[in-house]
Every structure is written in structure tokens, then in C-alpha cells.
Amino acid sequence: MAGQTTHAATEQAFTSTGWVSYVPNYGIELWKSPTAPHGTTGRKLPNGSAWKISAAVREGDHYWYKLGTNQWMDGRYIALSPVAKDRSVDQSIKRNVVRISGTAPIYSTPNGKATGKSLKNASYWQFSDRAVAGKHMWFKVSANQWVKDSWAKEVVPYQNPSQFYQVNYKQIKPTGQVGYNLVRGSEGIKTWLTLRALGLNSSYANMSASAQNAVANFQRNHGLPATGIVNQATWVKMGFAASSWTSIDSWIYPLQTPWYADRSAHIEAMIKAAYSYLGKPYIVGASTSTQYGNDCSGLVTQALYAAGINPLPVSSIQHAQPGNEWNSRLLAASNKFKHVSYADRQRGDLIFYTSPYDGRVWHVAIYLGNNQVIESWPPRVMVQPIKNSQRSWVTGVARPFV
């Protein structure tokens, strides 16, 4: 392979620990030989189990690791960093990043001379090649720059336990009909903009009977079928760009976390996304771009998207459809989050509140720590104490990243 060191298929002493990185409740084959035809031993090694490695053999762009006499693991399913048994490792990801622990000296060749340069603690580096030398794994981070596994730890993609919402490493796509019509009971940004265009009260962005009558009158006055239903033709007649009819629906917060981000980075990405709406108006049923505003669950949904969680059946499009205003209730009831006690709350948890009038969930916020939350609560997105005079009845705490 161009740009890579040439490796002979010979056994080299290598002392390390390897973790099986596969799928919960499944295992990988233990083989008799690192060279074809390999030959299975009939034994499987369970996901997340740790094994002492004594040698390695290079095969193409990956290694085989030796456990004992005639016992070899295929390195494509082995991580040199811990893997939990209840978490999947996405095999489609090319794991080519290391995280530096301590101040890592750089060497000109594997097990060669130090260059006098170093890599900073907690920094991430992409490597283009690996090599075993001196019983260590070495990672090539640049031309004639190698770092040893004593300081460079292979990054395994962060993932939630399999029973919870799984982290996405690619941009989340919209779920639902892009370009939906506004019917009786529709809410969200397109309803809010329609009400404003017709000179109606938009403080509660709901396509009510009176709003439909106003739409029908507008349609009648502009030579359109007077259905009271807002379609793209009516939308354009009201003065909006044709493209916005679908672009509003299809907008999903861009993924802010690379595949090698750890749990903390996912939490911070979620919170940073929520902050990008700070000061934007509270709009019922809305979950869309930072150009507009959101309601409480709409804000949480977009913040989760930014950090790689797709909280189906809740979605940005579904939220605007009739009957889905109270998505905070669906999120609160979901067993795809880890539910924890109020006393155990942590930064990045979702805080759910009940109404003092009927005892049902009516609000959700994102916990920031220090008894502060970021939330969308009328009239806008803001940072507030976790409890205040308007909503102090906390009914649950859910953890998106476990």
C-alpha cells in the first residue's frame, strides 16, 4: 500500500492486552494459525473479553494476535483499548486514531531514536501505519514520526450499551414526510410562519379552526382551491421561497462529534448545540434550525441530533404533526434512555417536569450542572435554575449518554 511500511508475515514478539470488539452476546473465532487457511479451533471469544497477547503477525493492513500455541485472534475484531461487553463496535469505521496519554516522545522509526519532539497529553492523532517493534505497537502519525503504545492508546468508538439509544457516527437523516402539508392541528415553524403571514396571533403556533378559515379565505382571494390546508402552492403565494417548504422540514442539526469522540465530548456537543438556540423564541411543536426557535422537546431533539442520538419515534418532523406537541412525555417514558435518580443527576442529563394541574409530564430541559438547566420555556430558550416558581415538579431524570 502506498505510503506504508512494508511488513513481512513473520511472528514478532508483542506484549499487550486485546479486547474483543464485536457485538454484545456474540463472539469471534479463535484460529489455529495467522496464515491461510487459518483453521478454526472451534472456540469463540466473547465480546468485551480481554486477552493477553504474546506475539503478532502482519497480514495486509491488519494484525493477527497470538494468545498461545496455535491460538490466534483476527486483529480486525480486536481493540488494544478496553471494550465493554454490552457495547457494539461499528466494524465499518476505520479505527486509525490514537489518544495521547502523558507527554509522548516522537521517534523517527519504530523503536529507533527519539527526535526530541513530543505530542501533547490528551491530544488525538490519526495514524497512517502501524508496526510492531521491541514488543510494542508503534503508530505512524506523520512522515518519519512514530509514537509508542506506552503513550498512544488506540481509540475505540464510544457507544451506549445495546439496550439504549445507539450513537450515530454519520449525519442523522430526517424521519417523516419532507414537504408535509399543514392541516388542522399542525404546529411547528411552518405553522408559525403561516400565522404571521396572515396577520394572526402566532404565540401558540397551532393550525386551529380559525386559522384554517383564514387560510381558506387567503386561498379564495388568490385563485387557489379554498381547502384551508396549506400546501406548497399556498406557501409560495404567501411569499415564501418554494425551497423553504422542504428545507425547514429536512433540517437536522449537523453532527458535531467525530467517531473518535468520547462520552464527555458527546455531552458537550449536545449542550453546545442547545446553547446555539439561546434567546430564540419558544415555538410550540417546533424542532428546526437555529434560524428560528424550538419548544422544549424540539430543543432537546436537535441537541441530541448534534451529538449523534436519534430519539425515534420522536423526530423533528413528527413533532409538528397533529397530536405530537407533548413529545416530552414520549422522551420521559422511553426505555432507550438510562433513567437515574434526581440525586444522581449529571451534566447532560434530561430533566423532566410534571404539570401541577394534572400531574402529567409537560416539560423537559438539559441539565448543565450546578443546579442549572438550558431549556425552551415561554418566551424563549434560556438558562435557568433547575427549579423555579414556574416549574419545580421534577418527575424524572434520563441519561442519553451512559
Side-chain angles (χ1 to χ4, degrees), residues 185-229:
S186 292
E187 296 180 338
I189 294 300
K190 290 200 298 191
T191 297
W192 182 71
L193 291 171
T194 295
L195 297 179
R196 291 165 67 88
L198 296 177
L200 302 176
N201 186 346
S202 61
S203 60
Y204 180 57
N206 181 280
M207 190 60 65
S208 63
S210 60
Q212 283 201 297
N213 288 336
V215 169
N217 287 334
F218 176 87
Q219 291 169 327
R220 194 176 295 113
N221 292 334
H222 289 81
L224 299 171
T227 62
I229 295 172

Side-chain angles (χ1 to χ4, degrees), residues 8 26 45 188 211 337 344 358 375 381 391:
Y26 289 88
L45 308 179
F337 294 122
D344 290 335
D358 61 11
E375 62 182 353
V381 178
R391 41 116 196 94

Side-chain angles (χ1 to χ4, degrees), residues 107 123 135 145 180 201 242 363 377 384:
Y107 294 78
S123 60
K135 297 186 178 181
Q145 295 189 349
Y180 60 82
N201 186 346
H363 184 56
W377 177 276
Q384 288 283 292

Side-chain angles (χ1 to χ4, degrees), residues 193-365:
L193 291 171
T194 295
L195 297 179
R196 291 165 67 88
L198 296 177
L200 302 176
N201 186 346
S202 61
S203 60
Y204 180 57
N206 181 280
M207 190 60 65
S208 63
S210 60
Q212 283 201 297
N213 288 336
V215 169
N217 287 334
F218 176 87
Q219 291 169 327
R220 194 176 295 113
N221 292 334
H222 289 81
L224 299 171
T227 62
I229 295 172
V230 179
N231 57 12
Q232 188 175 25
T234 304
W235 181 258
V236 172
K237 279 289 186 182
M238 289 190 292
F240 299 114
S243 60
S244 66
W245 181 249
T246 53
S247 65
I248 288 173
D249 303 344
S250 63
W251 200 89
I252 298 290
Y253 208 107
L255 185 65
Q256 301 297 298
T257 46
W259 69 261
Y260 52 84
D262 60 13
R263 176 178 179 268
S264 176
H266 283 276
I267 291 170
E268 295 309 311
M270 176 179 66
I271 291 172
K272 184 177 180 181
Y275 264 94
S276 69
Y277 292 92
L278 200 63
K280 296 295 183 179
Y282 175 94
I283 302 174
V284 67
S287 182
T288 188
S289 78
T290 54
Q291 180 180 349
Y292 305 107
N294 294 319
D295 68 7
C296 64
S297 56
L299 175 70
V300 168
T301 299
Q302 290 294 344
L304 289 171
Y305 287 156
I309 294 289
N310 190 359
L312 294 172
V314 169
S315 78
S316 55
I317 292 176
Q318 166 265 355
H319 190 34
Q321 307 311 307
N324 293 324
E325 176 180 337
W326 300 100
N327 268 349
S328 56
R329 294 171 185 166
L330 291 179
L331 294 172
S334 176
N335 61 5
K336 293 293 187 178
F337 294 122
K338 181 179 181 180
H339 293 268
V340 300
S341 70
Y342 181 73
D344 290 335
R345 64 192 181 280
Q346 298 177 3
R347 183 172 170 86
D349 287 347
L350 307 182
I351 310 295
F352 296 97
Y353 301 82
T354 53
S355 166
Y357 307 109
D358 61 11
R360 302 176 71 186
V361 172
W362 72 337
H363 184 56
V364 60

Side-chain angles (χ1 to χ4, degrees), residues 114-134:
T115 63
K117 298 179 180 180
S118 61
L119 303 180
K120 292 182 179 179
N121 180 52
S123 60
Y124 290 84
W125 292 85
Q126 183 173 326
F127 61 87
S128 60
D129 198 8
R130 295 182 295 169
V132 171

